[in-house]
Amino acid sequence: MLSIEFIASAGRFLDGLVHPCAAADSLMRSQHRAFIAANLTAGALALFVLPLHLAFTGGISLPQALAFARLAGQMPIAMYLSYSGKLETAHALSAALFSCFIDWMAFVTGGLDSIALVWLAIVPLEAALSRSRKVIELATLSAVAIAAALLIARNAGITAGAFSANWASDQVKTLAIMGGLFYALLVAFRVEWSSTSADDVASKREARYWLVADNVSDVITLHSEDGDTLFATLSIRTLLDLSVQEATGDGLFQRVHVADRPAFLTTLNDVARQKVAKSFQFRARRGPSKPGESDQSSYVWLEMRCRPMGYQEIVDGEAAVVAVTRDITRYKTHEEEPEDAQHEAEAASAAKMRFPANVSHELRTPLNAIICFSDILREFTPEQLPPERQREYVDLIHDSGQHLLQVVNDILDMSKIEIGNFELCVEPFLPARCISECVDMMRQQAANRDVTIHLDVPESLPELAGDRRACKQTFINLISNAIKFTRSGGSVTVSAKRHGSFIDIQVRDTGVGIAPDDLIRLGTPFLQIDNGYDRRHEGTGLGLSVVKGLVALHHGEVHFDSTVGVGTCVSVRLPAHTPGPDVRELPTTKNAADARTMVA
């Protein structure tokens, strides 16, 4: 227990001696700790053994004094490292101290014939602990300098003969060799421990980096100057449904939208050559990349932040750019939404501004006819007007009143749908009979415009679950609209068929058609495609809006398909009746909310 506490205390003491510049890096901290611990231990050992040696032997020789001085001299070097944090300089000082010790030992024990020269081989080995080529080269040069100095001393006749004889015996030589081998073994263990510690720290660091890289949504890639991808993290699979192998080379580039490829290559090249950080946005195809499957793919918006590579020789010699890529499709969508909403609001505001003019025209025309012909009937007595003329005027007044009523009903229905106050009386009914009645009602209008109506509705259709009056109004509006926009001699076809649990009703005409830009605005409240005061067709622009609202109340769908000069087809999909609870008791509050959303 005490030994564990002592080791923990010693570890905390060593951590306190590590310079702050190395404390944050685990590898550097480990190297500093090992150097400080080894040198402090050697110095403390020398200071502890020296008094014991003097007590037992009564004296000390010069080689022994040099050995004690070499060991004690390591303590100041350890403290220098703790104070400055310069590991290379500390290793260089330690190598210089060791070289000086061997030089003096060899000089006083026989010069070039001294057995102490065996220790010279340990100098570069101990310098390898610094993991610095510069320190190893310096230690090697110092060892060579020692040999050169001893050679010069022999040629000059400078010797220390007084000590040579005492160190020439076989026993002393054997002890020196064994001591050198033991010290070399200790240094080798330190080198191996340092290498293992470095590998362990590096593997942990790499594991942390891979843990981060593999679990973030952003993709980290390495690129060459020409744009090839050299490396990609596994998150490329989530981002583009692309494996790492498929992304390397020009795999990622092939996924970039054709229009964005020049910017992709230019940015990577600029970052690699100009050594500046840049970012850009581009579109990339997400999905299968096999031949024939690209049509099913979708493009996503990506943002790539590029920086010049800092450690090419360590990571990858060809890598010039490191990039971090993220999906910004959601942000792009949010950027476009306010603009789209503004356009829609402006269009709705403009339509409502035009609405009084359109409505005033639609109301004024039948009212003028009613007032005009009623004044004629009031001014003249029955004897003054022929019966056929009276009948004509009454019919005109009736038709104008019906038209006026239709306009008012459309406005009221649209208002109810918009505020969610339109109540449905839902019950099952036969759609074939309802559609046939609507067609019969519109045949006279079609005949007046020389338009032929074709009916293709099988009697075997299942019942519809809905409000009969609302559905009838929907069919009449669609047929009337088709007749109004069909030229003389054209035709309108009304058909219906079952589609799973729904019934599809189509009204197809051979009229003027609608341009694609106008088709997306079709059915907007208070909006007519032909909005000029000199427009060729009457109407408030509410007919199709009412249709969309009523269909939405039934949980149905409306689709428009049109070609200019060919005609238009309006498809309405309504749910068929399924046996179950009384449909008349079904709530309509949610339906009204859906209708408001669809119409708006």
Side-chain angles (χ1 to χ4, degrees):
M1 190 68 179
L2 292 176
S3 61
I4 296 176
E5 293 180 357
F6 175 77
I7 294 174
S9 300
R12 288 192 294 270
F13 173 72
L14 290 174
D15 287 336
L17 294 177
V18 174
H19 193 270
C21 70
D25 187 283
S26 57
L27 179 59
M28 291 294 296
R29 183 174 65 252
S30 175
Q31 292 176 344
H32 280 236
R33 283 187 55 179
F35 184 90
I36 293 173
N39 285 270
L40 284 182
T41 301
L45 181 64
L47 297 178
F48 176 75
V49 172
L50 179 59
L52 297 178
H53 177 77
L54 293 174
F56 284 104
T57 62
I60 188 171
S61 65
L62 179 59
Q64 292 172 344
L66 291 175
F68 281 113
R70 183 261 191 271
L71 293 175
Q74 292 181 258
M75 291 188 71
I77 298 176
M79 299 312 297
Y80 168 80
L81 175 61
S82 175
Y83 174 77
S84 66
K86 298 179 180 180
L87 183 62
E88 284 192 1
T89 305
H91 272 287
L93 291 174
S94 179
L97 178 64
F98 192 25
S99 299
C100 291
F101 165 70
I102 295 173
D103 187 21
W104 277 103
M105 283 291 292
F107 177 73
V108 300
T109 57
L112 288 177
D113 297 329
S114 173
I115 193 61
L117 291 180
V118 176
W119 290 52
L120 278 180
I122 306 176
V123 175
L125 178 62
E126 189 175 33
L129 291 169
S130 67
R131 306 176 71 88
S132 170
R133 182 177 299 177
K134 185 185 300 185
V135 175
I136 296 174
E137 292 174 351
L138 181 62
T140 304
L141 288 176
S142 66
V144 173
I146 290 171
L150 292 175
L151 178 62
I152 294 172
R154 168 177 284 188
N155 293 335
I158 303 174
T159 60
F163 299 98
S164 300
N166 297 331
W167 289 81
S169 65
D170 292 339
Q171 292 181 349
V172 173
K173 290 181 180 180
T174 301
L175 288 175
I177 294 174
M178 295 299 293
L181 290 176
F182 179 73
Y183 189 78
L185 180 63
L186 292 179
V187 173
F189 278 133
R190 286 183 60 191
V191 171
E192 191 276 335
W193 178 85
S194 176
S195 177
T196 302
S197 299
D199 291 343
D200 183 58
V201 171
S203 63
K204 290 181 179 179
R205 183 180 298 173
E206 182 180 5
R208 286 196 297 267
Y209 284 142
W210 274 109
L211 179 65
V212 173
D214 292 343
N215 288 277
V216 296
S217 57
D218 295 353
V219 177
I220 302 173
T221 52
L222 299 181
H223 301 271
S224 61
E225 290 186 9
D226 58 3
D228 283 349
T229 303
L230 305 176
F231 167 81
T233 55
L234 295 177
S235 49
I236 191 75
R237 169 69 72 180
T238 304
L239 186 68
L240 293 177
D241 194 15
L242 194 66
S243 67
V244 174
Q245 291 75 16
E246 291 174 330
T248 54
D250 64 346
L252 178 59
F253 175 75
Q254 294 297 331
R255 290 299 188 96
V256 178
H257 194 281
V258 175
D260 298 332
R261 290 181 182 179
F264 182 87
L265 295 176
T266 301
T267 302
L268 291 177
N269 188 266
D270 289 346
V271 172
R273 293 182 179 276
Q274 301 175 12
K275 303 301 181 182
V276 293
K278 287 187 176 182
S279 62
F280 72 104
Q281 299 175 356
F282 63 98
R283 291 158 293 179
R285 191 178 74 249
R286 186 181 189 279
S289 59
K290 297 179 181 179
E293 296 184 4
S294 58
D295 294 339
Q296 305 298 326
S297 307
S298 60
Y299 282 89
V300 293
W301 275 100
L302 304 177
E303 181 184 45
M304 178 179 281
R305 299 180 180 180
C306 306
R307 291 184 178 275
M309 197 70 186
Y311 301 95
Q312 294 94 328
E313 69 279 0
I314 297 177
V315 180
D316 195 318
E318 298 181 10
V321 178
V322 56
V324 178
T325 306
R326 63 177 52 187
D327 189 343
I328 59 169
T329 305
R330 181 182 302 176
Y331 304 105
K332 274 289 186 180
T333 303
H334 289 170
E335 287 179 0
E336 296 171 356
E337 282 179 353
E339 184 177 352
D340 294 341
Q342 182 179 359
H343 291 329
E344 292 177 2
E346 291 175 354
S349 178
K352 290 183 178 181
M353 292 293 291
R354 289 190 295 266
F355 177 66
N358 294 345
V359 170
S360 64
H361 172 75
E362 297 299 330
L363 296 178
R364 190 181 299 121
T365 300
L367 281 174
N368 286 337
I370 292 172
I371 295 172
C372 176
F373 291 111
S374 62
D375 285 344
I376 294 175
L377 292 176
R378 290 175 60 188
E379 183 178 350
F380 295 95
T381 63
E383 292 79 10
Q384 292 176 318
L385 288 176
E388 62 275 6
R389 185 61 57 86
Q390 295 180 30
R391 179 67 179 177
E392 179 184 354
Y393 292 164
V394 171
D395 288 341
L396 290 172
I397 293 173
H398 178 270
D399 292 341
S400 298
Q402 289 291 337
H403 177 69
L404 184 60
L405 178 63
Q406 182 63 41
V407 172
V408 173
N409 284 336
D410 285 345
I411 296 174
L412 294 177
D413 288 343
M414 192 67 248
S415 300
K416 289 181 180 180
I417 292 173
E418 282 199 320
I419 65 176
N421 199 28
F422 194 102
E423 295 184 0
L424 295 179
C425 180
V426 182
E427 59 183 0
F429 66 92
L430 293 175
R433 184 180 303 172
C434 180
I435 298 173
S436 178
E437 291 175 358
C438 295
V439 170
D440 291 339
M441 290 174 62
M442 303 306 299
R443 286 193 184 278
Q444 186 58 45
Q445 179 182 339
N448 294 339
R449 298 183 61 88
D450 192 22
V451 174
T452 305
I453 298 183
H454 301 286
L455 181 63
D456 183 16
V457 179
E459 294 289 341
S460 59
L461 284 177
E463 292 181 326
L464 274 175
D467 188 315
R468 179 182 176 86
R469 184 190 66 83
C471 292
K472 192 171 185 179
Q473 183 179 354
T474 298
F475 303 149
I476 290 175
N477 281 348
L478 292 178
I479 298 171
S480 175
N481 210 56
I483 294 172
K484 181 166 57 175
F485 289 95
T486 301
R487 302 183 185 92
S488 176
S491 63
V492 174
T493 303
V494 182
S495 61
K497 62 180 179 180
R498 181 167 187 169
H499 188 275
S501 59
F502 294 88
I503 296 177
D504 290 345
I505 299 97
Q506 289 186 342
V507 179
R508 185 184 301 273
D509 63 61
T510 59
V512 295
I514 305 169
D517 293 339
D518 294 328
L519 195 62
I520 60 175
R521 300 185 295 129
L522 205 60
T524 302
F526 313 110
L527 176 67
Q528 276 193 322
I529 301 304
D530 182 9
N531 274 304
Y533 289 106
D534 59 345
R535 65 187 190 275
R536 298 182 300 272
H537 308 285
E538 296 180 346
T540 60
L542 289 176
L544 289 179
S545 300
V546 173
V547 168
K548 292 180 67 176
L550 293 177
V551 172
L553 288 174
H554 288 82
H555 293 296
E557 298 176 358
V558 180
H559 297 285
F560 300 97
D561 185 16
S562 183
T563 304
V564 176
V566 177
T568 303
C569 178
V570 182
S571 301
V572 175
R573 175 169 292 179
L574 295 173
H577 170 61
T578 54
D582 189 351
V583 295
R584 287 175 295 184
E585 298 178 0
L586 296 177
T588 60
T589 304
K590 183 178 184 300
N591 297 11
D594 294 340
R596 291 199 304 273
T597 302
M598 182 174 181
V599 171

